[in-house]
């Protein structure tokens, strides 16, 4: 056997034992869930600003094909986002925070999620903006609405009812004689 073949055979024998420090395939961490990260680093940004950056336990993204829930250790994926709400929880069991986005892209890795949104706001800001817009519309006086009337149809219905009334009256008068 050549030296190269012996070196390859020797290294193959060493590779048979699972290594705790190396990953065997993308996203797989030997050692089970104890070796997975406990938090995700989430970054939600637009071209103009970073809206949110911090560690979270859970993120739900509004993908084009449906929502995607992401926990620590998720396999890497790129995702096109539709307009909707990004939900996030800082710790297991905590209430979800909401960020409203108007589409964009997301990159998910085993320990991070990066969202580049076309437009994004905190849901409280979006609600406040909608409420203010609704108040402004409510304060505006309504313009007078001219409703078109079908005078011909109304006159025809009245004439038909008067004709029916007179026919009933004449028939009753004839029958009482």
């Amino acid at each position: 056997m050549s030296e190269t073949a012996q070196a390859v055979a020797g290294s193959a024998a060493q590779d048979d034992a699972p290594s705790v420090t190396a990953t065997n395939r993308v996203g797989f961490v030997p050692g089970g869930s104890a070796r997975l990260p406990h938090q995700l680093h989430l970054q939600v940004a637009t071209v103009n600003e970073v809206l949110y950056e911090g560690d979270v336990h859970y993120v739900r993204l509004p993908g084009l094909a449906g929502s995607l829930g992401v926990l620590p250790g998720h396999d890497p994926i790129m995702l096109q986002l539709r307009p909707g709400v990004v939900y996030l929880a800082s710790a297991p069991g905590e209430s979800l925070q909401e960020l409203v986005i108007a589409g964009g892209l997301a990159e998910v890795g085993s320990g991070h999620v990066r969202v580049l949104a076309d437009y994004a706001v905190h849901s409280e800001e979006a609600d406040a903006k909608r409420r203010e817009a609704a108040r402004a519309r409510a304060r505006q006086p309504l313009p007078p609405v001219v409703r078109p009337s079908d005078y011909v149809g109304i006159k025809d219905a009245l004439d038909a009812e008067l004709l029916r009334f007179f026919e009933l009256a004449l028939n009753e008068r004839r029958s009482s004689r």
Side-chain angles (χ1 to χ4, degrees):
M1 211 192 248
S2 72
E3 288 180 27
T4 307
Q6 288 176 350
V8 170
S11 67
Q14 292 173 355
D15 287 343
D16 289 341
S19 170
V20 176
T21 58
T23 58
N24 295 336
R25 61 177 185 193
V26 176
F28 175 73
V29 179
S33 63
R35 301 271 311 166
L36 292 174
H38 296 290
Q39 292 282 70
L40 291 166
H41 186 76
L42 174 64
Q43 184 178 31
V44 179
T46 64
V47 174
N48 300 326
E49 67 176 326
V50 175
L51 189 68
Y52 183 91
E53 185 165 6
D55 290 337
V56 298
H57 175 71
Y58 171 75
V59 178
R60 185 172 20 167
L61 302 167
L64 281 181
S67 292
L68 175 70
V70 181
L71 290 168
H74 196 286
D75 281 340
I77 187 172
M78 290 290 291
L79 184 67
Q80 189 173 1
L81 302 173
R82 63 177 164 75
V85 179
V86 174
Y87 296 96
L88 58 111
S90 299
E94 280 194 16
S95 62
L96 296 176
Q97 297 176 36
E98 300 176 358
L99 302 170
V100 179
I101 64 167
L105 294 172
E107 174 196 1
V108 176
S110 65
H112 70 275
V113 176
R114 293 185 190 105
V115 175
L116 179 59
D118 297 332
Y119 177 76
V121 295
H122 289 278
S123 76
E124 300 87 30
E125 292 176 32
D127 290 342
K129 287 178 182 179
R130 281 195 298 263
R131 279 193 304 270
E132 189 55 40
R135 283 186 192 116
R137 285 192 309 270
R139 289 183 192 123
Q140 297 290 331
L142 292 176
V145 177
V146 178
R147 294 191 174 114
S149 298
D150 182 15
Y151 293 110
V152 174
I154 293 170
K155 184 180 180 308
D156 289 344
L158 182 59
D159 287 345
E161 189 62 30
L162 285 172
L163 182 61
R164 190 177 71 80
F165 171 75
F166 285 122
E167 286 177 353
L168 284 173
L170 285 174
N171 287 339
E172 190 174 305
R173 186 171 182 200
R174 287 183 190 151
S175 59
S176 63
R177 285 189 182 175

